[in-house]
Amino acid sequence: MDALWLTPFLLVSLLNMWLVVVDDRMPWGGLGLGLGLPGFLGLGLLLSVPLFWQRKRPLTVFAIVSLVSFGQWLLGVPLLFFNLAVLIAMYGVASRCSPRWAVAAGLVAELGLLLSFGQIAANPNFTGFINTSVFVVAIWITGIYSNTRRRYLESLEERAERAEHERDQQARLAAAAERARIARELHDVVAHNVSVIIVQADGAGYAIDTDPEQARRAMQAVSATGRQALAEMRRMVGVLRTDSGPEEYAPQPSLSQLDDLVAQVCSSGLPVDLRVTGVPQELPEGEQLTVYRIVQEALTNTLKHGGPGSRATVEMEYGVRELLLRVTDDGRGAAAPGREGGHGLVGMRERVAMFGGTVEAAPLTGGGFRVTARLPTGEIGESRAA
């Protein structure tokens, strides 16, 4: 491409050199000044060949062309069409370099024009110099505009790439948050129901020979709990479906279903005492779900790790600005075997953190375990949830 757009310039420059140096029929011809045709060809090559590297090294090309032209002026060699290479190189600097280099290149070009104009004219005409300078300034302004336009387009491309990168990053964050939410729901739903099923199945196995009626009731509880778990799983899978068809989703658990949860756990063999103090307040659905899941997770852990003969107490205390929730059991506490990879406490903290609350979970001295959660209520809780 560089060779293509330089070809007309080279052809016209060679024709101009022939008329100035060789053709004696022209009034200005025969001005070889001792250089001869080979000397002028060499001068033309020194002025034109560097232009092929103008895109990559505009400052170097402009410096070479300017120095060659200055040497030409010192030798008293008349101007050739090849000397327009200075303006071409100046345009390259103005269109590709910083503004300070563009200004410097323009001043150097103007200085060269002033020297050449004084050399050509026996009596320098500054009016002619000013008129010729308009042409130089026009080329210089065109280069500045090209530079500004290119930088503007580059900034648009960079902004578009950054916006695309941010969009992809937001999509990844949203996907990660959705996976975490689904993991919490799966853990809270499946772990609780499966734990109840295991406890009831173990009880039925122990009582099948000595008390068939009790074993039958335990298996009925297993059946009911399994159906509930299946319904919850279908709801979760329905949320994950990608088709756009209408779906019917079951409502999320709320505080109104807390009694049913306690009754289900009691039927599994863990006595639970539910106590509510203070003036009950209307909590947002998300906060009700959080309270429900904390109680569910705490009672499930008691079922799994509390040991035989354990009892649990669920206390809900409504304050002016917060809801205090305590789930306490008298099981094995710190003596219970730990399990690696559990997500229950992590899920509790994540849920409560969305509403600006806190969760503390620790074994009690002398046995037992306690989970304490504090959630803001009223306008404070709603604003933090938003």
mmCIF file of all heavy atoms in Angstrom, residues 29-63:
data_model
loop_
_atom_site.group_PDB
_atom_site.id
_atom_site.type_symbol
_atom_site.label_atom_id
_atom_site.label_comp_id
_atom_site.label_asym_id
_atom_site.label_seq_id
_atom_site.Cartn_x
_atom_site.Cartn_y
_atom_site.Cartn_z
ATOM 1 N N GLY A 29 16.108 24.629 -17.521
ATOM 2 C CA GLY A 29 16.800 23.359 -17.657
ATOM 3 C C GLY A 29 18.304 23.512 -17.623
ATOM 4 O O GLY A 29 18.869 24.603 -17.761
ATOM 5 N N GLY A 30 18.986 22.389 -17.474
ATOM 6 C CA GLY A 30 20.432 22.359 -17.471
ATOM 7 C C GLY A 30 21.068 22.847 -16.194
ATOM 8 O O GLY A 30 22.259 23.172 -16.187
ATOM 9 N N LEU A 31 20.312 22.927 -15.089
ATOM 10 C CA LEU A 31 20.858 23.429 -13.838
ATOM 11 C C LEU A 31 21.469 22.284 -13.019
ATOM 12 O O LEU A 31 21.066 22.008 -11.903
ATOM 13 C CB LEU A 31 19.769 24.150 -13.033
ATOM 14 C CG LEU A 31 19.135 25.365 -13.744
ATOM 15 C CD1 LEU A 31 18.017 25.951 -12.885
ATOM 16 C CD2 LEU A 31 20.187 26.414 -14.039
ATOM 17 N N GLY A 32 22.386 21.570 -13.593
ATOM 18 C CA GLY A 32 22.977 20.431 -12.894
ATOM 19 C C GLY A 32 23.853 20.831 -11.746
ATOM 20 O O GLY A 32 24.045 20.093 -10.805
ATOM 21 N N LEU A 33 24.419 22.022 -11.829
ATOM 22 C CA LEU A 33 25.266 22.554 -10.754
ATOM 23 C C LEU A 33 26.364 21.561 -10.354
ATOM 24 O O LEU A 33 26.740 21.453 -9.197
ATOM 25 C CB LEU A 33 24.436 22.936 -9.525
ATOM 26 C CG LEU A 33 23.391 24.039 -9.746
ATOM 27 C CD1 LEU A 33 22.625 24.277 -8.467
ATOM 28 C CD2 LEU A 33 24.045 25.320 -10.242
ATOM 29 N N GLY A 34 26.880 20.841 -11.329
ATOM 30 C CA GLY A 34 27.985 19.931 -11.063
ATOM 31 C C GLY A 34 27.567 18.586 -10.513
ATOM 32 O O GLY A 34 28.398 17.693 -10.417
ATOM 33 N N LEU A 35 26.309 18.399 -10.151
ATOM 34 C CA LEU A 35 25.870 17.101 -9.605
ATOM 35 C C LEU A 35 25.626 16.090 -10.715
ATOM 36 O O LEU A 35 25.884 14.895 -10.545
ATOM 37 C CB LEU A 35 24.605 17.275 -8.760
ATOM 38 C CG LEU A 35 24.756 18.058 -7.459
ATOM 39 C CD1 LEU A 35 23.401 18.166 -6.764
ATOM 40 C CD2 LEU A 35 25.773 17.410 -6.543
ATOM 41 N N GLY A 36 25.113 16.569 -11.826
ATOM 42 C CA GLY A 36 24.788 15.658 -12.901
ATOM 43 C C GLY A 36 23.541 14.844 -12.582
ATOM 44 O O GLY A 36 22.978 14.894 -11.484
ATOM 45 N N LEU A 37 23.135 14.091 -13.568
ATOM 46 C CA LEU A 37 21.932 13.275 -13.403
ATOM 47 C C LEU A 37 22.089 12.224 -12.301
ATOM 48 O O LEU A 37 21.174 12.047 -11.497
ATOM 49 C CB LEU A 37 21.573 12.611 -14.728
ATOM 50 C CG LEU A 37 20.282 11.793 -14.729
ATOM 51 C CD1 LEU A 37 19.087 12.675 -14.362
ATOM 52 C CD2 LEU A 37 20.057 11.132 -16.095
ATOM 53 N N PRO A 38 23.224 11.527 -12.194
ATOM 54 C CA PRO A 38 23.372 10.552 -11.098
ATOM 55 C C PRO A 38 23.266 11.210 -9.728
ATOM 56 O O PRO A 38 22.673 10.640 -8.804
ATOM 57 C CB PRO A 38 24.758 9.965 -11.336
ATOM 58 C CG PRO A 38 25.028 10.160 -12.772
ATOM 59 C CD PRO A 38 24.391 11.476 -13.128
ATOM 60 N N GLY A 39 23.850 12.396 -9.582
ATOM 61 C CA GLY A 39 23.769 13.071 -8.295
ATOM 62 C C GLY A 39 22.344 13.439 -7.917
ATOM 63 O O GLY A 39 21.921 13.284 -6.759
ATOM 64 N N PHE A 40 21.583 13.926 -8.926
ATOM 65 C CA PHE A 40 20.187 14.273 -8.634
ATOM 66 C C PHE A 40 19.344 13.023 -8.376
ATOM 67 O O PHE A 40 18.416 13.057 -7.575
ATOM 68 C CB PHE A 40 19.609 15.086 -9.788
ATOM 69 C CG PHE A 40 19.916 16.549 -9.689
ATOM 70 C CD1 PHE A 40 21.054 17.076 -10.286
ATOM 71 C CD2 PHE A 40 19.084 17.400 -8.985
ATOM 72 C CE1 PHE A 40 21.353 18.422 -10.189
ATOM 73 C CE2 PHE A 40 19.374 18.754 -8.891
ATOM 74 C CZ PHE A 40 20.516 19.271 -9.484
ATOM 75 N N LEU A 41 19.651 11.922 -9.057
ATOM 76 C CA LEU A 41 18.942 10.670 -8.774
ATOM 77 C C LEU A 41 19.222 10.202 -7.346
ATOM 78 O O LEU A 41 18.313 9.740 -6.640
ATOM 79 C CB LEU A 41 19.367 9.588 -9.770
ATOM 80 C CG LEU A 41 18.769 9.690 -11.179
ATOM 81 C CD1 LEU A 41 19.380 8.624 -12.086
ATOM 82 C CD2 LEU A 41 17.255 9.547 -11.133
ATOM 83 N N GLY A 42 20.486 10.314 -6.916
ATOM 84 C CA GLY A 42 20.801 9.948 -5.538
ATOM 85 C C GLY A 42 20.076 10.826 -4.533
ATOM 86 O O GLY A 42 19.579 10.343 -3.496
ATOM 87 N N LEU A 43 20.011 12.140 -4.836
ATOM 88 C CA LEU A 43 19.280 13.048 -3.950
ATOM 89 C C LEU A 43 17.805 12.679 -3.880
ATOM 90 O O LEU A 43 17.193 12.684 -2.796
ATOM 91 C CB LEU A 43 19.451 14.486 -4.439
ATOM 92 C CG LEU A 43 18.707 15.564 -3.651
ATOM 93 C CD1 LEU A 43 19.209 15.614 -2.210
ATOM 94 C CD2 LEU A 43 18.856 16.935 -4.329
ATOM 95 N N GLY A 44 17.247 12.319 -5.047
ATOM 96 C CA GLY A 44 15.842 11.932 -5.056
ATOM 97 C C GLY A 44 15.575 10.669 -4.260
ATOM 98 O O GLY A 44 14.557 10.549 -3.556
ATOM 99 N N LEU A 45 16.533 9.718 -4.352
ATOM 100 C CA LEU A 45 16.364 8.494 -3.572
ATOM 101 C C LEU A 45 16.447 8.768 -2.079
ATOM 102 O O LEU A 45 15.694 8.199 -1.277
ATOM 103 C CB LEU A 45 17.437 7.471 -3.981
ATOM 104 C CG LEU A 45 17.285 6.856 -5.377
ATOM 105 C CD1 LEU A 45 18.472 5.962 -5.698
ATOM 106 C CD2 LEU A 45 15.983 6.088 -5.501
ATOM 107 N N LEU A 46 17.391 9.639 -1.664
ATOM 108 C CA LEU A 46 17.502 9.965 -0.239
ATOM 109 C C LEU A 46 16.246 10.641 0.297
ATOM 110 O O LEU A 46 15.901 10.502 1.476
ATOM 111 C CB LEU A 46 18.713 10.871 -0.014
ATOM 112 C CG LEU A 46 20.091 10.223 -0.191
ATOM 113 C CD1 LEU A 46 21.186 11.263 -0.023
ATOM 114 C CD2 LEU A 46 20.288 9.092 0.806
ATOM 115 N N LEU A 47 15.529 11.366 -0.562
ATOM 116 C CA LEU A 47 14.317 12.055 -0.118
ATOM 117 C C LEU A 47 13.074 11.176 -0.169
ATOM 118 O O LEU A 47 12.127 11.405 0.589
ATOM 119 C CB LEU A 47 14.084 13.304 -0.980
ATOM 120 C CG LEU A 47 15.064 14.463 -0.774
ATOM 121 C CD1 LEU A 47 14.851 15.527 -1.847
ATOM 122 C CD2 LEU A 47 14.886 15.071 0.611
ATOM 123 N N SER A 48 13.061 10.193 -1.049
ATOM 124 C CA SER A 48 11.827 9.422 -1.263
ATOM 125 C C SER A 48 11.828 8.051 -0.599
ATOM 126 O O SER A 48 10.792 7.591 -0.107
ATOM 127 C CB SER A 48 11.572 9.248 -2.770
ATOM 128 O OG SER A 48 12.677 8.588 -3.378
ATOM 129 N N VAL A 49 12.985 7.375 -0.583
ATOM 130 C CA VAL A 49 13.018 6.009 -0.036
ATOM 131 C C VAL A 49 12.588 5.955 1.431
ATOM 132 O O VAL A 49 11.837 5.050 1.839
ATOM 133 C CB VAL A 49 14.419 5.391 -0.238
ATOM 134 C CG1 VAL A 49 14.545 4.075 0.536
ATOM 135 C CG2 VAL A 49 14.685 5.151 -1.719
ATOM 136 N N PRO A 50 13.019 6.901 2.303
ATOM 137 C CA PRO A 50 12.570 6.820 3.712
ATOM 138 C C PRO A 50 11.054 6.874 3.892
ATOM 139 O O PRO A 50 10.545 6.424 4.929
ATOM 140 C CB PRO A 50 13.239 8.044 4.354
ATOM 141 C CG PRO A 50 14.435 8.315 3.520
ATOM 142 C CD PRO A 50 14.011 7.995 2.125
ATOM 143 N N LEU A 51 10.339 7.396 2.892
ATOM 144 C CA LEU A 51 8.881 7.505 3.038
ATOM 145 C C LEU A 51 8.198 6.151 3.137
ATOM 146 O O LEU A 51 7.070 6.054 3.628
ATOM 147 C CB LEU A 51 8.294 8.288 1.854
ATOM 148 C CG LEU A 51 8.745 9.742 1.728
ATOM 149 C CD1 LEU A 51 8.115 10.385 0.498
ATOM 150 C CD2 LEU A 51 8.391 10.537 2.975
ATOM 151 N N PHE A 52 8.871 5.082 2.699
ATOM 152 C CA PHE A 52 8.262 3.755 2.780
ATOM 153 C C PHE A 52 8.147 3.270 4.225
ATOM 154 O O PHE A 52 7.427 2.323 4.496
ATOM 155 C CB PHE A 52 9.085 2.753 1.952
ATOM 156 C CG PHE A 52 8.939 2.920 0.466
ATOM 157 C CD1 PHE A 52 9.834 3.698 -0.256
ATOM 158 C CD2 PHE A 52 7.895 2.316 -0.211
ATOM 159 C CE1 PHE A 52 9.705 3.853 -1.618
ATOM 160 C CE2 PHE A 52 7.752 2.466 -1.577
ATOM 161 C CZ PHE A 52 8.653 3.246 -2.287
ATOM 162 N N TRP A 53 8.885 3.889 5.166
ATOM 163 C CA TRP A 53 8.817 3.514 6.580
ATOM 164 C C TRP A 53 8.084 4.573 7.418
ATOM 165 O O TRP A 53 8.219 4.615 8.623
ATOM 166 C CB TRP A 53 10.226 3.326 7.138
ATOM 167 C CG TRP A 53 10.881 2.079 6.620
ATOM 168 C CD1 TRP A 53 10.819 0.839 7.164
ATOM 169 C CD2 TRP A 53 11.692 1.974 5.451
ATOM 170 N NE1 TRP A 53 11.542 -0.053 6.407
ATOM 171 C CE2 TRP A 53 12.097 0.613 5.341
ATOM 172 C CE3 TRP A 53 12.119 2.874 4.461
ATOM 173 C CZ2 TRP A 53 12.899 0.152 4.299
ATOM 174 C CZ3 TRP A 53 12.920 2.407 3.426
ATOM 175 C CH2 TRP A 53 13.302 1.059 3.350
ATOM 176 N N GLN A 54 7.300 5.391 6.726
ATOM 177 C CA GLN A 54 6.654 6.499 7.423
ATOM 178 C C GLN A 54 5.631 6.036 8.439
ATOM 179 O O GLN A 54 5.481 6.642 9.512
ATOM 180 C CB GLN A 54 5.970 7.417 6.395
ATOM 181 C CG GLN A 54 5.259 8.594 7.025
ATOM 182 C CD GLN A 54 4.576 9.446 5.973
ATOM 183 O OE1 GLN A 54 4.995 10.550 5.714
ATOM 184 N NE2 GLN A 54 3.535 8.903 5.376
ATOM 185 N N ARG A 55 4.937 4.947 8.180
ATOM 186 C CA ARG A 55 3.896 4.475 9.103
ATOM 187 C C ARG A 55 4.492 3.990 10.422
ATOM 188 O O ARG A 55 3.938 4.237 11.489
ATOM 189 C CB ARG A 55 3.086 3.341 8.467
ATOM 190 C CG ARG A 55 2.259 3.767 7.271
ATOM 191 C CD ARG A 55 1.549 2.558 6.672
ATOM 192 N NE ARG A 55 0.817 2.930 5.471
ATOM 193 C CZ ARG A 55 -0.445 3.325 5.465
ATOM 194 N NH1 ARG A 55 -1.104 3.403 6.613
ATOM 195 N NH2 ARG A 55 -1.048 3.637 4.349
ATOM 196 N N LYS A 56 5.639 3.301 10.346
ATOM 197 C CA LYS A 56 6.217 2.710 11.551
ATOM 198 C C LYS A 56 7.107 3.698 12.303
ATOM 199 O O LYS A 56 7.135 3.680 13.532
ATOM 200 C CB LYS A 56 7.022 1.461 11.182
ATOM 201 C CG LYS A 56 6.162 0.333 10.620
ATOM 202 C CD LYS A 56 7.006 -0.898 10.322
ATOM 203 C CE LYS A 56 6.152 -2.042 9.800
ATOM 204 N NZ LYS A 56 6.964 -3.250 9.482
ATOM 205 N N ARG A 57 7.861 4.537 11.572
ATOM 206 C CA ARG A 57 8.801 5.460 12.214
ATOM 207 C C ARG A 57 8.656 6.860 11.629
ATOM 208 O O ARG A 57 9.548 7.337 10.898
ATOM 209 C CB ARG A 57 10.239 4.951 12.039
ATOM 210 C CG ARG A 57 10.463 3.573 12.652
ATOM 211 C CD ARG A 57 11.914 3.144 12.494
ATOM 212 N NE ARG A 57 12.139 1.838 13.092
ATOM 213 C CZ ARG A 57 12.415 1.623 14.371
ATOM 214 N NH1 ARG A 57 12.508 2.665 15.192
ATOM 215 N NH2 ARG A 57 12.608 0.417 14.824
ATOM 216 N N PRO A 58 7.549 7.528 11.914
ATOM 217 C CA PRO A 58 7.331 8.854 11.303
ATOM 218 C C PRO A 58 8.356 9.891 11.732
ATOM 219 O O PRO A 58 8.780 10.715 10.916
ATOM 220 C CB PRO A 58 5.916 9.217 11.761
ATOM 221 C CG PRO A 58 5.672 8.384 12.978
ATOM 222 C CD PRO A 58 6.430 7.127 12.763
ATOM 223 N N LEU A 59 8.774 9.868 13.007
ATOM 224 C CA LEU A 59 9.747 10.862 13.471
ATOM 225 C C LEU A 59 11.102 10.659 12.798
ATOM 226 O O LEU A 59 11.754 11.632 12.374
ATOM 227 C CB LEU A 59 9.882 10.774 14.984
ATOM 228 C CG LEU A 59 8.698 11.287 15.810
ATOM 229 C CD1 LEU A 59 8.917 11.009 17.288
ATOM 230 C CD2 LEU A 59 8.494 12.777 15.574
ATOM 231 N N THR A 60 11.558 9.431 12.693
ATOM 232 C CA THR A 60 12.846 9.151 12.057
ATOM 233 C C THR A 60 12.830 9.546 10.590
ATOM 234 O O THR A 60 13.786 10.153 10.076
ATOM 235 C CB THR A 60 13.180 7.656 12.203
ATOM 236 O OG1 THR A 60 13.171 7.302 13.589
ATOM 237 C CG2 THR A 60 14.528 7.341 11.604
ATOM 238 N N VAL A 61 11.748 9.217 9.899
ATOM 239 C CA VAL A 61 11.635 9.563 8.476
ATOM 240 C C VAL A 61 11.649 11.076 8.292
ATOM 241 O O VAL A 61 12.332 11.615 7.402
ATOM 242 C CB VAL A 61 10.353 8.942 7.888
ATOM 243 C CG1 VAL A 61 10.088 9.476 6.481
ATOM 244 C CG2 VAL A 61 10.482 7.426 7.857
ATOM 245 N N PHE A 62 10.908 11.793 9.130
ATOM 246 C CA PHE A 62 10.879 13.254 8.997
ATOM 247 C C PHE A 62 12.262 13.848 9.265
ATOM 248 O O PHE A 62 12.688 14.795 8.587
ATOM 249 C CB PHE A 62 9.860 13.837 9.971
ATOM 250 C CG PHE A 62 9.769 15.336 9.924
ATOM 251 C CD1 PHE A 62 9.096 15.971 8.885
ATOM 252 C CD2 PHE A 62 10.373 16.113 10.897
ATOM 253 C CE1 PHE A 62 9.021 17.354 8.835
ATOM 254 C CE2 PHE A 62 10.298 17.489 10.856
ATOM 255 C CZ PHE A 62 9.623 18.124 9.818
ATOM 256 N N ALA A 63 12.967 13.316 10.262
ATOM 257 C CA ALA A 63 14.306 13.820 10.564
ATOM 258 C C ALA A 63 15.259 13.597 9.392
ATOM 259 O O ALA A 63 16.032 14.496 9.017
ATOM 260 C CB ALA A 63 14.843 13.146 11.825
#
